[in-house]
Amino acid sequence: MYPAPFRYHRAGSVAEAIRMLGDIGEGARALAGGQSLLVLLKVRFDEPTDLVDLARIPDLDTIDQGNGEIRIGALTTHASIARSELSTAIPIVGDCANGIADNQVRSRGTIGGNVCSGDPSCDWPTLLATLDAQVHCEGPDGKRAVPVTEFVEDLYATVLGQGEIVTGISFPTPAVGSAGAYVGFKRCAPAYPTSSVGLQLALNGDDCEDVRIALGSSGLTSIHATDAEAELRGKTLTDDVIAKAAEAAAAQAEPIEDQRGSEDFKRSLIDTLVKRGVGVARRRCAGETVEVSHEYY
Amino acid sequence: MSWVGKSLRRKEDDRLVRGHGLFTDDELGEGMLHLYILRSPYAHARINSIDTSAAEALPGVACVLTGKDVLEHCDPYMQLGPGPTAEILDYSLARDKALYQGEPVAAVAAETPQLAMDAGQLIDVDYDMLDAVMDVETALENEILVHDNIGTNQTWNGVYEYGDVDQAFADAAHVVKIDRLHFHRYSSTPLENNACVAEWTRHGEVEFLCNNNFAGFAKQLLAPGLRLPIEKIRVRTFDVGGAFGNKIWNYVYMALCALASKKTGGRRVKWSEIRTEHLLASGHGNERTYLDTEVALDGDGVITAIRSRHLDDCGAYTRYEPLGCVIFSQVLAATYKLRNIRIEMTQAVTNKCPVVPNRGYSRMQQLWFMERVVDICAHELGIPADEMRLKNYITDFPYETPNGCVYDSGDYPKMLDMAKELVEWDKWVAYRDEARAAGRHVGIGIGTTLDSGTNNFGQAQIMNPYLPFSGNAEACIIRLDFDGAVVVTLGTGPSGQGHETSASQVVADELNIDPAMVTVRSGFDTNWNTFVGHSGSYASQFAVTGLSAVHGACQKLKAEMRQLAAFMLEASEEDLVLGVGDEGPELRVKGTDKFVNYWAMSNIVNNNNAVLQGELPDVTLNVRHVYRPPFKVPDVEKKFGNLTLTYAAQLHIAVVEIDPATSRVEIKAYAAVDDCGTVINPQIAHGQVHGATVHGIGAAIMESFDYDETGNLLTSTFSDYCPITSVNTPDIAYGNIETPSPFSYNGAKGMGEGGGAPVHTMSAAVQDALHGAGVIVTDSFTSPPRVFDMIRNPNRETAVSVDSR
Ligand SMILES: Cc1cc2nc3c(=O)[nH]c(=O)nc-3n(C[C@H](O)[C@H](O)[C@H](O)COP(=O)(O)OP(=O)(O)OC[C@H]3O[C@@H](n4cnc5c(N)ncnc54)[C@H](O)[C@@H]3O)c2cc1C
């Protein structure tokens, strides 16, 4: 349970972090909350020569709204997002932040680190895909913004280049009258979800004007459930329509059998979670306050 | 006033909640070395060579151990099994073959744990992977051998036959056949992992600080293993963060630390297990398969006979095994009165982690089997589960079972009544029936469980007639210290059960003082001389063995104090009363102001003995008592005899609703009624029941050690092997009845294991919910993915058949 030896550096600014990571090269890793990275280091699945600690970089832990978008700094912890006004204003954000692991992990883990882990079981990439978010990166070649669905390229792999870090994420402020839900099925709090679904609906009465659905723990990366969206978009939400969408999401998922369950089991969960998500999102669209949490064993 | 029976706050908690507990890993010391263990990545592999040169060259590495060192310095651990099983060679490190994933292959002692791990990674082991044998039935075909030298994988076979089974089947009104049942692998995963500090002193003694919970046994294995006389080995424990039987076998690691210390000139060596090591290689619970079960019943649904074949998978080594092949027979027919039984028990080794005793050890596998039988018969014959039990429960006590065990006392129908009331039975039956009519899956399950406590070690002879064990014993020393303080030393080696508290309650009652005036020494130390061969905390025995030893020691101390006080006060012994006066604990001449306090008595014996003028030479105020339960050696041929002294019981009821959308088994209500005879400390007893219940629910729905066919453990972290948490725990309605045991001085029965009560209860509830959907619960693990499969593949057609005449 001890990492291989490494050198520790503390970056004072984004520029310094980029320089440090670039100078050291291959063997360097950025360190944020450590809740994914240190776990890997302790079992020596990864043996970096250097860690560049981002945690003290000022102003990367803020949540701002304006110009039709919401920006969350990369170093904002799950816990502070859970406690923020944002979580009240846009409940789907709170659904996600509150459902990640336990208190200890939430108070250390950051949204930036979560996205950078490239782990399909991590909740933020799925939630952010639901909200059509951009990931803001900064590196030796300057700044760029990448849609979250492209940012995570493959299992545990992101588009980040050498010396490049994530400074924050942003997503368009959901339209008035639209609402979403993020629901998962989990064994217990400190375990990753078996399956999760993020769903954002824009309704006109019972008619679905727009929808975005993303599936977590359902493939090598989060899956944008376009087929399910197509079943709903422009349609009146009836049980039948919703059932078709749920079926389409389950079919588009690419779950992998593991200790959390078989492929079939996970597909059936996705079916369930889509229905559940639609139910909650509809009520929220109608202005109801609905507390949801993941379902646990 | 009586302190026994009161919820006295636990004495231990004062240090524990302040963070002042001393667990083995807390032990620090100048110059201590740290051990890292390199483990086999393969379940079955030939070890061609091990190159340790790079590791040895790393600065800070003190020594590297491999199978060669073990062969040079150690002898294989004593085997309990008979015949070829006795020839199994078990050492602390693999020699020419690794037999399970995680088996220790090499070890490094270095200046820091980090360095030790660095060096461990530099060891180069050349393996040839071999096919692994991963289930007991394949193992019994003997095509792949785990231990080549014994020529077989079978480690034990025996038939337990009582009554006239064939006649009972010939006379039966119904014969229910159950194709196959399976009890899954899990363990109790104590909060504190295994840990040990060892020092091979320059006097040639080995001192251990560890968390082994059966030190008396460990010492007897370690000494020959390390080629030392027993008195050269000192084993100490202090605070232990749970053991549940799992830590009985960690002598294997203790020896490695000792060997590293020996090779480094006597430096202290610490090893502290990490969780993945614990899950991979520290000992799992017994996995059992039950084949060709046939049940004979009369026209009223009374079970008259059972025959069946049980196959136990004990993993790669027989550590403590094949004892499980006898231990189960303590509860052969569970709480039921049938007298005709034929069970063939066979055990085999496989390329999995060795099994070790685990909370409810080997009995819960049998109890689960019997409860499955009862519920399956009930459902198939259309008899409600509660009625089925009432028809079949044993009701007269003491009750001698067909195999000679004596159930001391109990009242299962009363427990059932109480559990029904607590759970609100009628309400839930109505709810279930309504829900069913609406097509929902609601079930109510009953689990009746025995927690047999205080082993008669003579049962080991049923397993191997040559073993020199029988009976049981526990020791206690009580003395008045120089200042008159009452100091109690136990041999029980507690691991969180509150022995310091319960023991002080007993002493307080005996001496008529306050428990706060009693000091019970924490931990365990073989140098204390309170240790006998059976000493330890296992097999639900403390309330009987531990407290009987305390009680016996109190009688001896009181007798001495009376003699001495009578001499000092020139009074007669009969006139003396024990109690607490202005000057502390005392003996007083009844109704007078003549008294002597404990300090004065102790001072005379220890510092001022000329006053005695040679009188009372035997009075030392330092007495030792060894309690021995009244056991006989069982009849080995007939497999007949009293195997345990007391039989605590649990009756649990679970109400579950299965969510068709997620296959989650939601527990809507849960009741746990316990009977452990006279309760010493209700709060501690309640805590034990609660803990055992939560463990069992976790086992039923969350926890399973799963291997793939090549022998990779798929659940080797807490992300994959998900132990139950508070989020998953239902409210538990707790009830208690007391049927005092006639066989213990205090009426108490050992308790705390709870025999896996929720495992059978949950299986029963899930079956009740799904029987209408054509499902028979044939596996003890009922997690949502499993339930999902059960619903989609109803098995009733093939799993069970009923032949009625
Ligand atoms: C017991 C446990 C349970 C968990 N359960 C869940 C769960 O249910 N759901 C869930 O979503 N997560 C879960 N997590 C993971 C947790 O959410 C982590 O916080 C998160 O995945 C990583 O964030 P971090 O700040 O801790 O990043 P770190 O661990 O510090 O870093 C993770 C990776 O991202 C890189 N990185 C971090 N920040 C940046 C940056 N700004 N720019 C570039 N690269 C960066 C690091 O180099 C590293 O590769 C769990 C973790 C634990 C320990």
Side-chain angles (χ1 to χ4, degrees):
Chain A
M1 255 340 221
Y2 296 93
F6 56 80
R7 283 179 293 271
Y8 172 87
H9 314 267
R10 181 184 290 164
S13 66
V14 170
E16 194 181 13
I18 294 169
R19 201 176 56 244
M20 284 174 163
L21 288 165
D23 286 353
I24 303 160
E26 277 286 287
R29 301 282 179 282
L31 173 68
Q35 296 305 296
S36 288
L37 185 59
L38 294 188
V39 177
L40 293 179
L41 263 53
K42 281 163 100 176
V43 291
R44 300 197 175 189
F45 282 175
D46 191 12
E47 299 189 11
T49 56
D50 295 74
L51 292 190
V52 175
D53 191 354
L54 310 181
R56 308 288 176 94
I57 299 177
D59 304 326
L60 283 189
D61 59 351
T62 51
I63 302 175
D64 301 305
Q65 272 194 68
N67 293 336
E69 64 168 26
I70 288 157
R71 291 176 303 279
I72 305 178
L75 293 177
T76 317
T77 61
H78 313 319
S80 56
I81 298 173
R83 278 193 307 265
S84 69
E85 281 170 21
L86 181 67
S87 286
T88 324
I90 307 174
I92 186 174
V93 173
D95 296 346
C96 178
N98 275 306
I100 293 176
D102 48 30
N103 267 317
Q104 291 94 314
V105 173
R106 285 199 293 273
S107 6
R108 299 281 316 164
T110 67
I111 188 168
N114 194 285
V115 171
C116 291
S117 302
D119 181 342
S121 294
C122 273
D123 290 295
W124 283 119
T126 304
L127 186 277
L128 293 172
T130 314
L131 295 174
D132 202 7
Q134 303 277 318
V135 181
H136 298 273
C137 314
E138 202 170 326
D141 301 333
K143 299 184 183 186
R144 59 171 171 158
V146 185
V148 66
T149 42
E150 290 164 28
F151 178 81
V152 182
E153 281 185 313
D154 203 346
L155 187 65
Y156 307 125
T158 68
V159 299
L160 285 179
Q162 190 97 74
E164 198 176 16
I165 64 166
V166 169
T167 53
I169 57 97
S170 69
F171 53 86
T173 309
V176 178
S178 80
Y182 183 75
V183 285
F185 186 72
K186 290 179 77 160
R187 291 160 298 165
C188 59
Y192 289 91
T194 306
S195 306
S196 69
V197 168
L199 185 143
Q200 181 74 15
L201 264 185
L203 287 186
N204 181 2
D206 279 340
D207 296 341
C208 170
E209 295 196 316
D210 201 5
V211 62
R212 250 184 103 87
I213 304 177
L215 316 176
S217 303
S218 299
L220 298 181
T221 62
S222 299
I223 289 192
H224 183 186
T226 45
D227 296 351
E229 289 175 4
E231 293 291 343
L232 296 176
R233 195 173 291 119
K235 304 225 176 98
T236 305
L237 295 187
T238 61
D239 285 353
D240 222 31
V241 165
I242 297 167
K244 282 224 178 80
E247 220 171 274
Q252 205 183 343
E254 296 164 5
I256 298 157
E257 168 156 5
D258 63 11
Q259 288 326 291
R260 290 173 272 185
S262 64
E263 213 185 296
D264 284 350
F265 175 63
K266 290 180 179 180
R267 281 188 204 281
S268 106
L269 282 180
I270 288 162
D271 186 290
T272 296
L273 294 172
V274 168
K275 289 177 189 153
R276 222 171 251 182
V278 171
V280 175
R282 278 176 100 172
R283 288 165 62 198
R284 283 180 176 162
C285 281
E288 235 183 278
T289 304
V290 188
E291 289 275 338
V292 279
S293 99
H294 300 318
E295 183 171 343
Y296 299 92
Y297 270 26
Chain B
M1 187 170 82
S2 169
W3 288 98
V4 165
K6 283 214 162 46
S7 286
L8 185 71
R9 282 214 187 163
R10 292 186 359 139
K11 292 190 158 201
E12 296 85 346
D13 290 345
D14 187 73
R15 64 176 184 274
L16 294 174
V17 299
R18 288 174 208 279
H20 295 163
L22 176 64
F23 297 88
T24 302
D25 190 48
D26 296 332
E27 182 81 351
L28 302 171
E30 194 80 355
M32 190 186 265
L33 291 169
H34 300 265
L35 199 75
Y36 170 79
I37 295 171
L38 183 73
R39 296 170 181 277
S40 169
Y42 305 116
H44 197 191
R46 191 154 304 289
I47 299 170
N48 298 319
S49 62
I50 304 181
D51 182 354
T52 58
S53 50
E56 276 163 345
L58 196 72
V61 170
C63 82
V64 179
L65 303 172
T66 67
K68 278 207 188 93
D69 300 279
V70 159
L71 278 177
E72 191 185 326
H73 296 275
C74 303
D75 285 325
Y77 296 110
M78 172 177 75
Q79 292 295 315
L80 299 176
T85 309
E87 306 301 316
I88 288 178
L89 298 172
D90 185 6
Y91 290 92
S92 290
L93 291 174
R95 290 147 303 119
D96 49 344
K97 258 196 351 175
L99 304 184
Y100 63 98
Q101 188 181 50
E103 177 165 16
V105 170
V108 183
E111 300 295 335
T112 68
Q114 292 89 328
L115 264 175
M117 194 168 171
D118 293 347
Q121 284 183 304
L122 297 174
I123 297 175
D124 189 14
V125 186
D126 180 30
Y127 293 102
D128 275 338
M129 239 181 112
L130 301 170
D131 286 339
V133 50
M134 296 308 295
D135 73 89
V136 65
E137 284 162 277
T138 314
L140 287 166
E141 290 165 7
N142 286 328
E143 272 165 25
I144 300 167
L145 290 180
V146 178
H147 298 276
D148 300 294
N149 67 315
I150 68 167
T152 176
N153 290 322
Q154 181 177 304
T155 53
W156 204 78
N157 173 269
V159 176
Y160 291 80
E161 181 157 8
Y162 309 92
D164 192 341
V165 177
D166 294 338
Q167 191 60 48
F169 275 92
D171 296 343
H174 312 280
V175 173
V176 176
K177 296 186 180 172
I178 305 165
D179 180 42
R180 162 189 289 270
L181 297 166
H182 177 252
F183 191 93
H184 75 295
R185 252 177 193 253
Y186 70 92
S187 90
S188 294
T189 60
L191 200 55
E192 181 203 23
N193 288 323
N194 289 300
C196 169
V197 177
E199 179 179 356
W200 199 296
T201 70
R202 58 188 107 156
H203 314 298
E205 286 164 359
V206 187
E207 303 212 337
F208 292 105
L209 174 68
C210 66
N211 53 19
N212 188 290
N213 63 309
F214 193 179
F217 182 65
K219 212 169 129 101
Q220 296 178 65
L221 285 150
L222 278 164
L226 292 170
R227 299 182 183 151
L228 287 175
I230 280 194
E231 98 278 357
K232 296 272 187 201
I233 291 193
R234 177 182 181 192
V235 183
R236 282 189 305 130
T237 68
F238 203 78
D239 286 314
V240 177
F244 311 108
N246 302 174
K247 289 174 177 163
I248 283 181
W249 73 286
N250 66 17
Y251 56 82
V252 187
Y253 293 131
M254 293 166 68
L256 266 189
C257 289
L259 201 53
S261 178
K262 185 182 188 183
K263 285 202 69 178
T264 54
R267 292 182 66 180
R268 294 222 291 166
V269 178
K270 183 202 274 188
W271 176 70
S272 197
E273 186 183 50
I274 67 168
R275 185 58 67 180
T276 288
E277 292 182 289
H278 186 84
L279 295 174
L280 197 59
S282 88
H284 297 169
N286 293 58
E287 177 180 354
R288 201 166 289 170
T289 306
Y290 317 79
L291 298 175
D292 308 328
T293 300
E294 295 184 351
V295 191
L297 299 101
D298 71 12
D300 293 328
V302 174
I303 296 174
T304 55
I306 289 182
R307 53 187 175 208
S308 182
R309 291 196 296 131
H310 298 185
L311 308 180
D312 192 71
D313 172 350
C314 79
Y317 289 97
T318 41
R319 291 179 180 156
Y320 214 74
E321 293 301 334
L323 264 184
C325 295
V326 176
I327 301 258
F328 87 99
S329 70
Q330 295 170 6
V331 295
L332 190 67
T335 48
Y336 304 107
K337 60 190 179 195
L338 69 149
R339 311 255 350 144
N340 307 303
I341 300 172
R342 181 181 196 279
I343 289 177
E344 180 179 0
M345 173 59 90
T346 308
Q347 186 185 65
V349 280
T350 58
N351 292 115
K352 299 191 208 171
C353 176
V355 304
V356 297
N358 179 48
R359 199 172 200 167
Y361 173 44
S362 198
R363 289 99 85 215
M364 70 179 159
Q365 286 80 353
Q366 179 66 9
L367 294 160
W368 180 83
F369 166 76
M370 287 301 297
E371 288 296 86
R372 286 288 66 231
V373 161
V374 166
D375 274 306
I376 291 170
C377 291
H379 270 129
E380 292 302 315
L381 299 178
I383 303 169
D386 53 340
E387 275 176 40
M388 183 72 183
R389 284 178 170 78
L390 291 172
K391 285 175 196 291
N392 285 285
Y393 275 152
I394 293 159
T395 48
D396 297 319
F397 297 89
Y399 173 84
E400 189 180 272
T401 67
N403 59 328
C405 291
V406 183
Y407 292 1
D408 48 348
S409 60
D411 191 341
Y412 315 135
K414 184 170 167 193
M415 292 175 81
L416 180 58
D417 273 348
M418 183 183 255
K420 279 177 158 182
E421 198 180 312
L422 283 170
V423 87
E424 301 184 280
W425 177 268
D426 293 339
K427 175 183 118 182
W428 288 112
V429 168
Y431 176 91
R432 174 187 68 186
D433 295 347
E434 233 169 80
R436 255 184 210 167
R440 281 152 50 210
H441 300 310
V442 175
I444 304 178
I446 300 170
T448 326
T449 307
L450 291 172
D451 193 350
S452 46
T454 304
N455 278 346
N456 174 359
F457 275 79
Q459 67 199 282
Q461 297 184 22
I462 293 177
M463 188 268 296
N464 178 357
Y466 298 104
L467 288 180
F469 309 138
S470 70
N472 195 330
E474 193 59 86
C476 171
I477 291 175
I478 301 188
R479 70 161 201 271
L480 295 194
D481 217 326
F482 291 163
D483 57 358
V486 181
V487 180
V488 181
T489 310
L490 303 172
T492 54
S495 46
Q497 301 91 338
H499 291 184
E500 293 169 42
T501 309
S502 310
S504 65
Q505 287 175 268
V506 168
V507 175
D509 277 356
E510 291 306 314
L511 303 184
N512 195 23
I513 61 178
D514 190 287
M517 297 167 171
V518 182
T519 302
V520 181
R521 296 169 83 179
S522 308
F524 173 85
D525 186 338
T526 48
N527 278 10
W528 286 343
N529 201 25
T530 41
F531 124 87
V532 287
H534 306 111
S535 287
S537 79
Y538 57 92
S540 296
Q541 61 179 25
F542 172 74
V544 175
T545 57
L547 292 183
S548 295
V550 170
H551 179 258
C554 285
Q555 308 317 309
K556 289 182 178 167
L557 180 67
K558 279 197 290 192
E560 287 198 5
M561 289 199 299
R562 282 183 188 283
Q563 268 182 289
L564 181 62
F567 175 85
M568 292 168 74
L569 299 171
E570 295 178 336
S572 99
E573 285 186 37
E574 297 82 72
D575 292 339
L576 294 172
V577 286
L578 289 109
V580 180
D582 293 341
E583 295 179 26
E586 61 171 28
L587 275 78
R588 181 177 292 267
V589 181
K590 204 186 316 179
T592 73
D593 56 3
K594 278 170 61 178
F595 73 94
V596 53
N597 71 6
Y598 284 15
W599 171 79
M601 285 192 284
S602 174
N603 192 55
I604 283 202
V605 170
N606 290 299
N607 297 318
N608 194 18
N609 62 41
V611 173
L612 292 171
Q613 298 171 30
E615 294 289 320
L616 308 179
D618 294 333
V619 171
T620 61
L621 303 183
N622 184 351
V623 299
R624 179 174 193 262
H625 182 75
V626 175
Y627 165 73
R628 296 192 188 107
F631 282 131
K632 295 199 184 92
V633 179
D635 180 330
V636 171
E637 282 299 305
K638 294 191 182 130
K639 298 189 177 65
F640 186 93
N642 192 16
L643 308 184
T644 42
L645 194 69
T646 63
Y647 283 83
Q650 290 81 38
L651 203 142
H652 289 199
I653 297 180
V655 182
V656 304
E657 176 152 7
I658 294 167
D659 181 349
T662 59
S663 308
R664 177 178 165 231
V665 181
E666 185 200 353
I667 300 174
K668 306 207 73 94
Y670 200 99
V673 174
D674 190 69
D675 172 12
C676 58
T678 308
V679 177
I680 311 297
N681 182 317
Q683 191 187 23
I684 290 179
H686 187 171
Q688 288 291 331
V689 171
H690 198 273
T693 304
V694 174
H695 256 159
I697 294 174
I701 62 173
M702 306 190 67
E703 304 176 33
S704 174
F705 288 118
D706 297 333
Y707 284 92
D708 69 15
E709 65 285 357
T710 64
N712 282 312
L713 181 65
L714 303 171
T715 49
S716 61
T717 71
F718 268 178
S719 259
D720 297 316
Y721 184 96
C722 238
I724 189 164
T725 68
S726 56
V727 173
N728 314 100
T729 304
D731 287 338
I732 297 164
Y734 166 74
N736 181 64
I737 72 162
E738 291 192 13
T739 63
S741 174
F743 303 147
S744 59
Y745 90 89
N746 51 4
K749 305 177 184 184
M751 61 96 61
E753 290 185 86
V759 186
H760 355 302
T761 309
M762 292 297 288
S763 289
V766 170
Q767 183 180 301
D768 190 45
L770 296 179
H771 190 255
V775 171
I776 298 290
V777 173
T778 55
D779 196 292
S780 53
F781 191 45
T782 53
S783 67
R786 294 289 187 100
V787 170
F788 176 84
D789 287 342
M790 288 191 259
I791 295 173
R792 263 147 205 83
N793 307 302
N795 62 345
R796 189 170 161 215
E797 297 286 296
T798 52
V800 61
S801 68
V802 183
D803 181 5
S804 295
R805 319 197 181 131

